[in-house]
Amino acid sequence: SETIEMERGHGEALLPLVERVMAKVEGGFASLDRVAVTVGPGSFTGIRIGLAAGQAIGLACKCDVVGVSTLAALATPLILGDYDGVLAAAIDARYGKVYIAAFGPDGRPIVAPRRDGALEALRAMGAGPLILTGSGAELIAREARARGVPTRIVNEQAYPDIAFVARLGMAANPATAPARPLYLKEPDVTLPGQPAGAVVETASRP
């Protein structure tokens, strides 16, 4: 694996990065049986770049491409451990909102992926205690502390461990985990003549 912290230029950097990593793998691209790609939630541009690259690699290598929720990938390392209460993965969606998914002590989903204000997200999770991970964890923790809800932040990393994306991708059923975007919000920009909230498809899929 290789990670580069970047503010911009992801589209230009991604495929050269993948090529460097695959050059160290025995058999290279020909050894791939499946490609896993995060489908969001997140930025429109980031999701599109990742999906386009994943689908292109899958098409070239003639292998399955599966989609993995970014929130699920963030939560998985904690779900595999022992915890009491509610575990939530939260990504900062800006403007005081978060993308969130929450899980009970048995790993069962109790809050489906959604975009909410921090207070609304807190209310959806109940009385806690809360275990939080992701870049939106502190936003929810502030609301929780103000209301006396027991809260612990485990990690504020903005992106999941790629090893857990791979593990979820291996376990996924291609028929039920398509590599399609999970936006959870309307686009910030619409084309002339398009109704507000319309999502414009700009990339074809194999």
Side-chain angles (χ1 to χ4, degrees):
S1 67
E2 180 179 334
T3 302
I4 305 174
E5 297 283 352
M6 302 178 67
E7 290 294 328
R8 56 183 60 85
H10 300 76
E12 294 78 11
L14 179 56
L15 287 178
L17 182 153
V18 172
E19 288 177 337
R20 288 195 300 273
V21 171
M22 292 306 298
K24 302 172 186 176
V25 175
E26 184 177 353
F29 283 97
S31 67
L32 293 180
D33 296 311
R34 177 174 292 188
V35 175
V37 56
T38 52
V39 297
S43 74
F44 281 86
T45 303
I47 293 170
R48 281 294 184 191
I49 290 170
L51 284 171
Q55 290 165 350
I57 294 168
L59 183 63
C61 297
K62 298 180 174 61
C63 62
D64 290 330
V65 182
V66 295
V68 173
S69 161
T70 308
L71 293 168
L74 280 168
T76 295
L78 302 177
I79 291 174
L80 294 176
D82 294 324
Y83 63 94
D84 293 318
V86 176
L87 167 63
I91 298 172
D92 187 351
R94 305 199 307 174
Y95 310 112
K97 293 186 179 292
V98 292
Y99 300 117
I100 187 169
F103 307 84
D106 57 356
R108 176 178 52 85
I110 59 174
V111 177
R114 60 201 284 180
R115 179 176 178 264
D116 258 338
L119 179 56
E120 289 76 11
L122 176 64
R123 287 171 174 162
M125 291 185 288
L130 302 180
I131 302 96
L132 303 174
T133 185
S135 60
E138 179 57 32
L139 290 171
I140 296 174
R142 277 185 228 143
E143 297 288 353
R145 293 184 198 115
R147 288 157 180 79
V149 177
T151 304
R152 176 167 61 97
I153 296 177
V154 176
N155 192 339
E156 293 185 76
Q157 185 167 292
Y159 50 84
D161 184 335
I162 196 64
F164 285 96
V165 174
R167 289 176 68 172
L168 290 172
M170 287 176 63
N173 180 345
T176 57
R180 293 184 187 139
L182 176 65
Y183 291 130
L184 298 184
K185 71 181 288 287
E186 297 80 14
D188 296 321
V189 177
T190 57
L191 295 177
Q194 288 281 344
V199 175
V200 179
E201 294 285 345
T202 58
S204 61
R205 300 190 184 94

